[in-house]
Amino acid sequence: MTERFSKWDAAEHLRTREDARLYVQACFDEDPGDGSLVRAGLNDVARAGNMACLAHESGMSREGLYKALSADGNPTLATVMRITRAPGLQLRIA
């Protein structure tokens, strides 16, 4: 019997703001220290919603948002703050 696998995409499972909040929180908790997992998590949240709408709400262009959240992207803290605030999320230090 041959095992069959399909690609799992987190964006397909982020249906509510609470899903997004918990997912991004887990990304922060598990990030190796270079921000790569946080960037990937924010990318998943952005793709789960409407990328153009998020770009508009965050004051960025859609292309700029794609670039900042891409695998090669390196978003600034200001960009991360704008992206997290647009869907109603907040960053907190504990």
Side-chain angles (χ1 to χ4, degrees):
M1 182 172 163
T2 303
E3 291 185 51
R4 300 183 78 196
F5 298 95
S6 60
K7 185 176 179 179
W8 188 83
D9 186 358
E12 295 174 4
H13 303 278
L14 301 173
R15 295 184 176 95
T16 67
R17 184 178 290 175
E18 182 67 4
D19 291 343
R21 184 189 69 77
L22 292 170
Y23 182 67
V24 172
Q25 182 177 343
C27 290
F28 268 93
D29 292 345
E30 299 297 323
D31 189 83
D34 62 0
S36 60
L37 193 55
V38 172
R39 184 211 33 82
L42 290 174
N43 186 25
D44 291 337
V45 169
R47 288 183 307 106
N50 182 326
M51 188 71 85
C53 183
L54 179 63
H56 175 73
E57 290 174 358
S58 64
M60 300 178 66
S61 68
R62 197 172 114 260
E63 294 78 16
L65 187 57
Y66 274 113
K67 183 177 178 182
L69 297 178
S70 72
D72 295 327
N74 189 16
T76 65
L77 179 59
T79 300
V80 171
M81 295 295 291
R82 290 194 315 234
I83 292 168
T84 55
R85 286 183 177 165
L89 301 174
Q90 296 179 357
L91 293 180
R92 294 188 180 166
I93 308 257

